[in-house]
Amino acid sequence: MVEPLRLGIAGLGTVGAAVVRLLTAQARDLAARTGRAIVVTGVAARDSSRDRGVDLSAAKWFEDPIALAASESIDLFVELIGGDEGVARKSVEAALSAGKSVVTANKALLAKHGLELARLAESHRVALAFEASVAGGIPIVKTLREGLAGNSVARVSGILNGTCNYILSRMELEGLSFAECLADAQKLGYAEADPTFDIGGFDTAHKLAILASLAFGVKLDAGAISVEGIEQLSLADLKAAAELGYRVKLLGVAQRTPHGVEQRVHPTMVPLSSPIAQVMGVTNAVTIDADAVNELTLVGPGAGGMATASAVVADIADIARGIRSAPFGLPVEHLASAPKTPMQRHEGGYYIRLAARNHIGAAAAIATRMAERGISLESIVQRRTAGEPDADVVPVVLMTYATTEATVREALDAIVADGHIAEKPQVIRIERE
Ligand code: HSE
């Protein structure tokens, strides 16, 4: 008879309560699948009196998550506290150091301390599992680490933040303001405690750092990622994109280039006909380009209690079965360094929206500055604003064929210096595939 796997769960918010609910509902099947019972023997949460709609009467309450993590009464510590320092970090370190496996959904902690924690897990020969840290219910960690082990990955890209995708979808489809959509995302529990993590692109960057490490065998390094958020996007850009046959998404992209592994997070125009453009609301999607499978896209819920709990429980089940993978696919000592590749070297198409002064020669001068640098224009549109036939400033929207970021920035500097435009240019990178 195999002993039950005893869990200590720290953090009983939306995800923690959902994990207990799933473990209870699936107890019999999980025991059959893993060959042993899974029981929650310890919990730590801020408020022990709150009714979470789950039965925790058999579990011991711990005031201190760190004491729970090191307790003899558990075999596996489940960290659902959040935050990249403090109790979350200390409790995970305490559990690993005490020879207990850890399951966490904490992407910020992993992005900052993932390598050290993986080293600690390796040295104590225990598991550090984090399926729930990226793309909620989509099993992307397992897909990259195990499912595609026979492939060489060229590119991983995706919509990794449900809050941003929800905001962009509602702004575009309902013409709502950024602030209204963000407030709704917060109400629905999608957004981080500090929503600048979402809208500034940092949450996507944390997740991308994890995916890049798994996909390319590189050391996890969020500092190697160029990050731009969605705060500067306007409804005008979303509408212009739609008119041009594109949709704007906040994408995280990691790809092999001749200069190294390029890692970037920024608003991106994707063709309306592409699979990624169809992904709306809080849904996440990850596309992997790899030699043997060619292209694979996984789409699913990126946030929310039950979806995230599904990933947490999958990790718990693996550990119950005795599976212990190297956290990032390779032992830490075999992970390569991936220095930051400057965005100036990025190659691709660009959408540029300029507020041009409405005088003779402005559009021609803009096109000339582009041509002087060998930038080929796919389209250039200047439109009077409805109801303002004599406006002093008019929007000019350009789409370029593939060029480098450095060339585009040089051309824009020259256009600004010419005095033809009234506001800072808006630039959005295009991914045509
Ligand atoms: N704030 C995150 C999101 C939650 O919006 O996707 C899931 O990581």
Side-chain angles (χ1 to χ4, degrees):
M1 172 76 186
V2 184
E3 292 292 313
L5 181 73
R6 301 166 305 160
L7 309 187
I9 302 183
L12 285 174
T14 319
V15 177
V19 167
V20 177
R21 210 166 294 132
L22 261 192
L23 288 171
T24 310
Q26 301 293 333
R28 214 191 311 199
D29 284 351
L30 280 168
R33 287 179 189 138
T34 64
R36 62 198 293 198
I38 298 172
V39 292
V40 180
T41 50
V43 285
R46 270 202 215 114
D47 181 0
S48 61
S49 62
R50 211 174 102 205
D51 179 13
R52 296 171 171 87
V54 289
D55 180 11
L56 287 164
S57 52
K60 181 173 172 200
W61 279 84
F62 285 73
E63 289 289 313
D64 178 8
I66 303 167
L68 170 62
S71 164
E72 285 298 321
S73 64
I74 67 160
D75 306 307
L76 166 59
F77 180 64
V78 181
E79 185 273 310
L80 301 170
I81 303 164
D84 61 12
E85 291 293 348
V87 179
R89 180 182 177 191
K90 286 192 186 126
S91 60
V92 168
E93 286 173 347
L96 296 173
S97 302
K100 295 169 201 306
S101 290
V102 169
V103 171
T104 178
N106 192 336
K107 57 253 157 149
L109 176 70
L110 291 163
K112 195 160 174 192
H113 301 294
L115 280 183
E116 301 143 49
L117 296 175
R119 260 192 216 105
L120 197 56
E122 277 174 25
S123 67
H124 289 275
R125 305 184 63 76
V126 290
L128 169 65
F130 44 82
E131 184 61 74
S133 64
V134 184
I138 302 177
I140 185 63
V141 171
K142 198 182 264 295
T143 298
L144 282 170
R145 195 176 51 206
E146 276 99 37
L148 298 178
N151 284 253
S152 170
V153 176
R155 187 170 184 273
V156 184
S157 61
I159 296 171
L160 301 174
N161 184 271
T163 300
C164 287
N165 206 50
Y166 174 87
I167 291 173
L168 294 176
S169 302
R170 291 200 64 201
M171 280 175 73
E172 185 199 331
L173 299 181
E174 299 173 49
L176 295 176
S177 73
F178 186 93
E180 271 176 287
C181 300
L182 173 59
D184 283 351
Q186 287 177 294
K187 263 186 238 147
L188 291 163
Y190 305 147
E192 298 301 306
D194 174 358
T196 52
F197 266 67
D198 297 292
I199 60 178
F202 306 109
D203 178 74
T204 301
H206 291 155
K207 295 165 180 169
L208 185 69
I210 295 168
L211 295 187
S213 179
L214 290 161
F216 302 110
V218 295
K219 286 189 183 132
L220 182 109
D221 181 7
I225 304 179
S226 303
V227 185
E228 288 170 27
I230 62 169
E231 310 95 317
Q232 304 304 325
L233 289 175
S234 70
L235 214 44
D237 296 313
L238 305 190
K239 283 188 182 149
E243 283 172 16
L244 292 159
Y246 289 84
R247 182 163 274 151
V248 183
K249 297 290 184 192
L250 183 76
L251 288 195
V253 182
Q255 68 188 118
R256 282 190 204 280
T257 74
H259 318 293
V261 177
E262 182 179 275
Q263 300 181 58
R264 52 195 166 86
V265 172
H266 51 73
T268 310
M269 298 216 345
V270 293
L272 270 174
S273 57
S274 64
I276 212 106
Q278 319 311 317
V279 177
M280 301 301 272
V282 72
T283 305
N284 281 194
V286 187
T287 297
I288 303 154
D289 298 304
D291 55 354
V293 291
N294 196 17
E295 191 180 293
L296 190 70
T297 298
L298 283 82
V299 180
M306 279 312 234
T308 310
S310 162
V312 171
V313 172
D315 279 342
I316 294 170
D318 270 355
I319 292 164
R321 288 185 182 106
I323 295 172
R324 180 171 64 85
S325 308
F328 296 102
L330 292 174
V332 172
E333 61 173 323
H334 294 305
L335 295 170
S337 294
K340 186 168 184 167
T341 63
M343 272 316 281
Q344 295 290 334
R345 287 204 191 137
H346 171 70
E347 288 181 26
Y350 286 80
Y351 156 100
I352 299 159
R353 181 170 55 80
L354 302 170
R357 296 190 195 287
N358 196 3
H359 55 220
I360 292 167
I366 290 166
T368 301
R369 292 302 189 194
M370 295 281 168
E372 282 168 357
R373 285 161 185 82
I375 299 172
S376 178
L377 294 179
E378 183 184 309
S379 74
I380 174 163
V381 180
Q382 177 185 324
R383 221 175 251 150
R384 275 191 320 219
T385 310
E388 294 181 51
D390 301 320
D392 292 336
V393 174
V394 290
V396 173
V397 171
L398 303 107
M399 301 277 285
T400 79
Y401 287 111
T403 178
T404 66
E405 178 114 2
T407 316
V408 167
R409 299 289 173 188
E410 270 173 33
L412 289 175
D413 286 348
I415 290 165
V416 171
D418 285 344
H420 293 305
I421 63 166
E423 291 167 17
K424 188 169 173 268
Q426 172 70 295
V427 176
I428 303 178
R429 298 169 190 93
I430 305 171
E431 299 276 326
R432 290 202 164 85
E433 294 166 78

